[in-house]
Amino acid sequence: MELSLVWFILIAVLWIGYFILEGFDFGVGALLRIVGRDERGRRVLINTIGPLWDGNEVWVITAIGATFAAFPDWYATMLSGMFGPMLAILLCLIVRGVAFEYRAKGDTDKWRANWDLAIQVCSWGPAFLWGVLFGNMIYGMPLDEAGEYTGGFFGLFGPFPLLLGLLTLGLFLTHGAIFLALKTRHEVRDRAKAFAERAGVGTAVILVAAAGWLQLERGNIVTALVSVLALGALVAGVVATKAHRDGWAFVATAGAILSVVVSWFAAMYPNLIASTTNAAWSLTVQNASSSPYTLKLMTWVAVVMLPFILAYQAWSYWVFRKRISAQQIPLPQLAAKVQG
């Protein structure tokens, strides 16, 4: 197998890891004032992801860094052509991180309410925009002979990218609610389960529409099979939630996200970004890759470093594996610093 194809697959794996891990993270943030209805409830939600959210972002940093090194033309077109949405995502990630840290620094309800709103808005935004960005890369963009995007800002928000934006938003909300059901107790868990059941059904409808459109535009046998798997996994997640099997429900929605991202990369291949102006101007795995020497060096670095990163993250999840309840957060400690 050529190293350019190996790195195309590895970058897909990095995005799968990011969407599964940061997906529930975004979902919890987006549900902050919906599932956590009072100060204790919101503290429970934040504490479920407090020790984990910053580690989850390592995946997107690695994915974008690997794209820059392995496919510099893809990186350049993606960052320059989709600069507006990418900047919005970056700002949301920064503000969200600041909000987690600063929320506990003040002692007034208004102070906490403002930071809660920041967390919520900056969770909904990236959850939607990542789907929009991938929708453009899958559907294709107007690229010139040099591989530069020639459309305007609003050209990025066509019907197909918007549909994929709704899909990622729905998947992350469902995944996040199921994570909360797995990690909390009592009334917070009950509200999370109820939301997960409703969101899962709505997301399944969006998934059917998005998979059907994907199949018409860029479909093949692989995309058809994994789209069916994605729908089956999402339905299994809803059924497991109803049956109070929270662990299996979380595994199922993780499987749904995995299958969706696999279908996207399978639909893109051999292109990285298809040119809707002229097919010959598309960026492909072959014409946009770095030199064989660079790819070989990257492969050795990945072989050495990846096991350490995976081991550290697995250890973090094991240490913070216990459930949390509102009763564990005494009122006098509400202003205490968030865990992590």
Side-chain angles (χ1 to χ4, degrees), residues 9-335:
I9 295 171
L10 285 177
I11 289 170
V13 171
L14 290 170
W15 281 108
I16 289 168
Y18 176 63
F19 282 158
I20 289 176
L21 297 179
E22 189 89 310
F24 74 71
D25 187 335
F26 283 142
V28 171
L31 296 174
L32 187 61
R33 296 194 301 177
I34 299 172
V35 172
R37 294 182 182 168
D38 54 18
E39 176 56 19
R40 274 187 167 179
R42 288 191 282 275
R43 278 292 309 278
V44 169
L45 262 66
I46 291 174
N47 283 351
T48 62
I49 58 173
L52 307 171
W53 68 268
D54 47 357
N56 294 339
E57 292 183 355
V58 169
W59 289 80
V60 71
I61 295 169
T62 309
I64 293 177
T67 303
F68 169 73
F71 301 101
D73 291 341
W74 185 17
Y75 172 88
T77 300
M78 187 168 63
L79 268 291
S80 61
M82 298 187 279
F83 179 76
M86 291 291 280
L87 180 62
I89 289 173
L90 179 61
L91 291 175
C92 280
L93 295 181
I94 293 171
V95 172
R96 192 167 172 268
V98 171
F100 282 134
E101 297 297 330
Y102 274 70
R103 183 183 187 279
K105 303 295 183 185
D107 56 4
T108 66
D109 291 341
K110 185 177 181 183
W111 173 273
R112 287 192 290 270
N114 287 337
W115 288 117
D116 288 345
L117 180 62
I119 292 171
Q120 200 158 10
V121 170
C122 292
S123 298
W124 283 79
F128 175 73
L129 288 174
W130 280 126
V132 171
L133 297 187
F134 271 91
N136 279 285
M137 289 191 284
I138 296 166
Y139 187 81
M141 302 168 64
L143 304 182
D144 63 16
E145 194 171 4
E148 295 182 0
Y149 176 62
T150 58
F153 173 79
F154 293 104
L156 298 172
F157 296 91
F160 183 75
L162 288 176
L163 182 60
L164 290 204
L166 290 177
L167 176 60
T168 50
L169 179 60
L171 283 171
F172 295 169
L173 286 172
T174 306
H175 196 43
I178 288 175
F179 175 77
L180 286 174
L182 178 64
K183 287 287 292 180
T184 61
R185 300 178 188 274
H186 309 308
E187 66 277 9
V188 174
R189 178 171 179 261
D190 294 340
R191 289 198 293 268
K193 286 171 66 70
F195 185 90
E197 292 172 11
R198 294 194 299 272
V201 172
T203 304
V205 174
I206 298 172
L207 176 57
V208 170
W213 198 337
L214 177 74
Q215 201 60 28
L216 289 174
E217 293 291 340
R218 307 284 178 191
N220 52 53
I221 185 64
V222 176
T223 58
L225 289 174
V226 290
S227 293
V228 171
L229 287 175
L231 181 61
L234 184 58
V235 172
V238 175
V239 172
T241 300
K242 284 182 176 290
H244 309 292
R245 305 299 297 269
D246 300 330
W248 285 112
F250 185 75
V251 170
T253 49
I257 294 173
L258 181 152
S259 302
V260 165
V261 179
V262 169
S263 74
W264 290 355
F265 275 81
M268 288 163 59
Y269 185 79
N271 294 321
L272 300 171
I273 301 178
S275 172
T276 55
T277 309
N278 185 332
W281 297 344
S282 299
L283 297 177
T284 70
V285 172
Q286 294 300 324
N287 69 21
S289 68
S290 294
S291 68
Y293 175 77
T294 302
L295 296 177
K296 186 176 180 180
L297 184 63
M298 289 176 61
T299 304
W300 279 111
V301 172
V303 168
V304 173
M305 296 301 297
L306 195 59
F308 291 99
I309 296 171
L310 293 177
Y312 173 76
Q313 196 146 37
W315 176 79
S316 299
Y317 276 82
W318 175 256
V319 168
F320 298 103
R321 66 189 183 281
K322 292 183 179 178
R323 289 181 184 265
I324 303 170
S325 70
Q327 286 69 29
Q328 292 173 290
I329 304 177
L331 285 171
Q333 297 179 15
L334 287 177

